[in-house]
């Protein structure tokens, strides 16, 4: 087929896929431009509802009501209210998620609490050796501070590495580099069979695919909100503590917001009931309420529809890259099998840093991950199939 | 003197004091209304520069530039840049403060790092027994996780309690309840004489009076930014690590932002040089840049002038309360001596909760601290002497 014919065929296919896209209407709820934005797995695009909400929070809630807003504008209860808004997206019933702090800080809370739940006899923490670095650094600190040994293993090695010594296992649902989706149900079951506690990092899966926290009996989980949840730069992370474990959640960061009676100003600490004990200090209201507005785009959207579109987008991208990219210039690190794929495509490319720079200059935004990875994230809420065709076509041109 | 004459005299004095107030012009940089706002020590009023800045951050930096803003809009370097903006207000040279996380989380970082600096042989942590609760809870956790014993003592007892066993001492510069200013130079010197490490909580002093971190050789300090620094509800806190201690600052929360090469994505942790190693996860940009805009009100304002006005305000308030309040209805818990007074006045009052409710209904906003304290904070940047006279007068009316 000629280059022209290939292009015509892909464009026609994109048009057909876009016409059948049941989520196409959601795109109108985001502020977008002519750029093909495939970096929503780093920073989600701006939902249109956010600027007006933030303005109200700043001008009226802070500027006029001031301190009264802690009650009257619902500031005080925002961490658990917004947690309940995230809950259905990750398959959790209400009352198990609180929002606040960064992902790193929540990994620390969750992993230390997990070790404490596991009990004194278990002296080893398993951590994904291919994890996003912060999880590994924090796990090292959690191990040091609880007197445990940290053992990095690949997710595939976890079942064999588990033993009666294992206290807790920290895993990523989707690998930040390759986009590989790990088998959360099977790995959680294996962790439980060994009597250990599972901690899942959902940064690269929440909002892109069904997680099923309750269904698969996950113990503890954390995630950020600025990727597929579009909460804005550095928006607060969240912590999930399964309902029946909450009484045993013993936080290493017991702040005044974790107390059963925060305004009692007691010198002795008694933790709040429920997920609230995962809170720490004063919640960061501006960022938190921007996130709350951002989550409104999920009204009426099913995560199953998002997943179906996500797979169609990445399938089509891989197909277009195969058609447009010169042979041997890039190699996909992302699994072909749907059951092993998140919502991104990672392409290995010798001169990836330079290639990504040129892609961005030409209006296709992904990101570069050291040392040789082109990473493209597909947010089904606002990326369409014509975007995908264009991105792959421009990539092909840049690579030639 | 008749009631009328008393009122005329206080009003005349207020007018004279306002006329001589060199900071009077700063009030115009805040969004204020007819309310007398004496709760700036809980949540500072909105600086006029903030709404426009936040709108730009949301609409242009996030909405249009998206991921590019991490470089182009200076997001990535915000924690240290804003730290350097706070530095002169607390008497610190540049390069020693980073902004991020809550006060509670920063207390944890500082106290654990302090214990590690002190070395293995020292097994005791002293903490202010009258502290704001979160510091005590976090200190308990830091002690538990480092295998030290926590010993609560009043600040006055600290010199006698210090010994060769003392690893670290966590103190508040100003007591949140009584408004008592503790003697930072003398207490820091005593801590050092015992070979221990000092950690100061500046929540109720920064922005209200000179702190002198560098001058007095404070080791580590933390503080919030939503009180006298007017950063907004739950705006990020900060951490000070004295320059010559930075190489020994061993954080219990080593996130990817603490790494010497954050985008190197290394699996082994090598801390950044300098105060940067006090960072943890992705900085919370919306709140952080709102704070940056809020700090502009300090341009051309000296903290010494702020302190002088603060003392004049609290002097005048105590004078007016003495003139207006029925005998025996309230008792000041705030020291009379200037050297022992922060920027608030705490009045003990049997029915304080009810009294504060009625004050607020009548346009005088302070807050109630369990069980019997009326707390009035005086932010010299926007509170004037006529406000003070009116607040005391309304209080007198409510108490009768």
């Amino acid at each position: 087929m000629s280059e022209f014919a290939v292009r015509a065929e892909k464009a026609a296919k994109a048009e057909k896929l876009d016409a059948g896209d049941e989520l196409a209407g959601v795109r109108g709820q985001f502020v977008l431009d002519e750029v093909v934005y495939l970096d929503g797995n780093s920073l989600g695009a701006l939902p249109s509802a956010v600027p007006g909400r933030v303005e109200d929070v700043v001008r009226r809630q802070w500027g006029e009501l001031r301190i009264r807003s802690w009650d009257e504008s619902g500031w005080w209860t925002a961490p658990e209210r917004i947690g309940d808004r995230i809950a259905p997206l990750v398959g959790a019933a209400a009352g198990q998620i609180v929002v606040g702090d960064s992902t790193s800080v929540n990994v620390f809370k969750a992993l230390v609490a997990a070790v404490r739940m596991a009990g004194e006899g278990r002296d080893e923490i398993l951590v994904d050796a291919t994890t996003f670095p912060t999880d590994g650094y924090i796990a090292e600190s959690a191990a040091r501070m609880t007197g445990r040994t940290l053992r990095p293993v690949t997710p595939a090695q976890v079942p064999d590495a588990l033993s009666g010594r294992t206290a807790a296992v920290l895993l990523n649902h989707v690998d930040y580099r390759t986009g590989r989706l790990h088998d959360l149900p099977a790995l959680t079951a294996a962790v439980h069979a060994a009597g250990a506690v599972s901690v899942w990092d959902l940064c690269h899966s929440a909002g892109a695919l069904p997680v099923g926290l309750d269904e698969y009996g996950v113990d503890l989980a954390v995630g950020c909100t600025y990727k597929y949840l579009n909460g804005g730069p550095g928006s607060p992370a969240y912590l999930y503590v399964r309902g029946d474990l909450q009484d045993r959640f013993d936080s290493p960061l017991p702040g005044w917001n974790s107390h059963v009676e925060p305004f009692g100003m007691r010198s002795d600490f008694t933790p709040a009931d429920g997920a609230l004990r995962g809170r720490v200090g004063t919640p960061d209201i501006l960022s938190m309420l921007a996130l709350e507005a951002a989550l409104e785009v999920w009204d009426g959207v099913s995560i199953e529809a998002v997943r179906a579109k996500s797979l169609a987008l990445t399938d089509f991208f891989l197909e277009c890259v195969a058609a447009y990219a010169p042979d041997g210039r890039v190699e996909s690190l992302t699994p072909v099998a749907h059951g092993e794929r998140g919502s991104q495509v990672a392409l290995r490319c010798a001169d990836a840093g330079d290639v990504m720079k040129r892609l961005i200059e030409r209006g296709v935004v992904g990101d570069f991950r050291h040392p040789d990875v082109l990473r493209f994230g597909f947010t089904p809420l606002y990326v369409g199939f014509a975007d995908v065709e264009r991105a792959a076509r421009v990539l092909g041109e840049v690579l030639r």
Side-chain angles (χ1 to χ4, degrees), chain A:
Chain A
M1 223 170 5
S2 73
E3 198 182 308
F4 181 80
V6 168
R7 189 172 158 176
E9 187 230 295
K10 298 304 175 204
K13 185 165 178 183
E15 196 176 348
K16 195 179 146 198
L17 287 165
D18 277 327
D21 174 11
E22 64 169 294
L23 295 175
V26 184
R27 183 184 170 97
Q29 294 181 50
F30 287 87
V31 176
L32 292 162
D33 49 26
E34 72 292 345
V35 165
V36 179
Y37 192 64
L38 301 181
D39 215 355
N41 56 336
S42 184
L43 175 66
L46 172 66
S48 314
V50 170
R53 181 70 53 82
V54 171
E55 187 174 3
D56 181 63
V57 171
V58 172
R59 289 188 191 271
R60 188 182 59 84
Q61 297 183 13
W62 173 14
E64 295 175 23
L65 299 178
R66 287 184 285 260
I67 200 74
R68 290 163 52 193
S69 275
W70 282 107
D71 290 326
E72 293 178 27
S73 303
W75 288 357
W76 184 259
T77 52
E80 52 270 25
R81 182 179 70 243
I82 303 171
D84 282 349
R85 187 70 194 75
I86 292 171
L89 303 178
V90 291
Q96 300 176 104
I97 295 181
V98 284
V99 174
D101 305 307
S102 67
T103 305
S104 302
V105 169
N106 281 297
V107 168
F108 186 74
K109 292 181 211 168
L111 200 50
V112 170
V115 167
R116 289 173 175 174
M117 282 177 195
E120 283 305 318
R122 293 172 174 265
D123 68 350
E124 200 171 73
I125 298 172
L126 301 183
V127 64
D128 181 352
T130 59
T131 191
F132 184 76
T134 214
D135 295 51
Y137 308 155
I138 294 287
E140 183 76 49
S141 177
R144 172 182 175 190
M145 297 193 78
T146 57
R148 266 61 174 187
T149 302
L150 186 68
R151 188 173 158 201
V153 293
T154 65
Q157 294 167 332
V158 164
D160 287 340
L162 287 161
S163 75
R165 292 182 55 186
T166 314
V169 184
L170 172 62
L171 291 165
N172 298 277
H173 197 193
V174 170
D175 185 279
Y176 80 101
R177 236 172 124 263
T178 63
R180 177 179 292 274
L181 171 66
H182 296 301
D183 189 343
L184 180 144
L187 285 165
T188 302
V191 170
H192 288 170
V197 180
S198 59
V199 181
W200 284 93
D201 180 333
L202 310 177
C203 283
H204 287 273
S205 63
L209 49 93
V211 177
L213 289 178
D214 286 352
E215 181 178 357
Y216 302 116
V218 165
D219 302 296
L220 301 161
V222 304
C224 79
T225 62
Y226 45 77
K227 299 181 188 291
Y228 298 105
L229 299 179
N230 313 300
S235 57
Y238 58 89
L239 170 70
Y240 164 89
V241 183
R242 203 179 68 212
D244 61 309
L245 295 176
Q246 290 170 357
D247 283 351
R248 293 165 55 205
F249 186 82
D250 181 3
S251 175
L253 293 170
W256 73 294
N257 277 228
S258 333
H259 198 281
V260 67
E261 198 192 346
F263 291 95
M265 303 288 158
R266 313 268 175 213
S267 59
D268 53 322
F269 183 73
T270 309
D273 289 331
L276 292 190
R277 67 175 65 178
R279 291 177 60 161
V280 186
T282 305
D284 191 337
I285 294 303
L286 264 56
S287 297
M288 200 159 302
L289 299 191
L291 166 63
E292 187 169 35
L295 291 170
E296 288 176 6
V297 300
W298 293 94
D299 288 346
V301 171
S302 88
I303 194 74
E304 288 73 21
V306 166
R307 174 60 169 164
K309 181 174 172 187
S310 160
L311 289 170
L313 288 166
T314 50
D315 275 347
F316 188 53
F317 184 69
L318 289 167
E319 175 187 324
C320 290
V321 168
Y324 291 132
D327 281 352
R329 277 291 270 130
V330 293
E331 173 204 358
S332 174
L333 300 173
T334 302
V336 172
H338 283 181
E340 296 175 5
R341 190 195 303 164
S343 198
Q344 73 180 60
V345 171
L347 301 177
R348 179 175 285 150
C349 174
D351 48 348
D354 189 49
V355 167
M356 184 51 72
K357 220 166 136 184
R358 283 186 289 150
L359 279 175
I360 291 170
E361 282 163 11
R362 297 195 50 189
V364 175
V365 178
D367 62 19
F368 161 59
R369 279 293 172 258
H370 191 82
D372 60 358
V373 172
L374 298 168
R375 198 178 71 160
F376 300 96
F378 296 84
T379 300
L381 298 183
Y382 55 75
V383 172
F385 294 90
D387 296 326
V388 166
E389 189 274 337
R390 181 176 144 208
R393 180 159 37 83
V394 173
L395 174 64
E397 289 163 13
V398 165
L399 291 172
R400 271 196 299 270

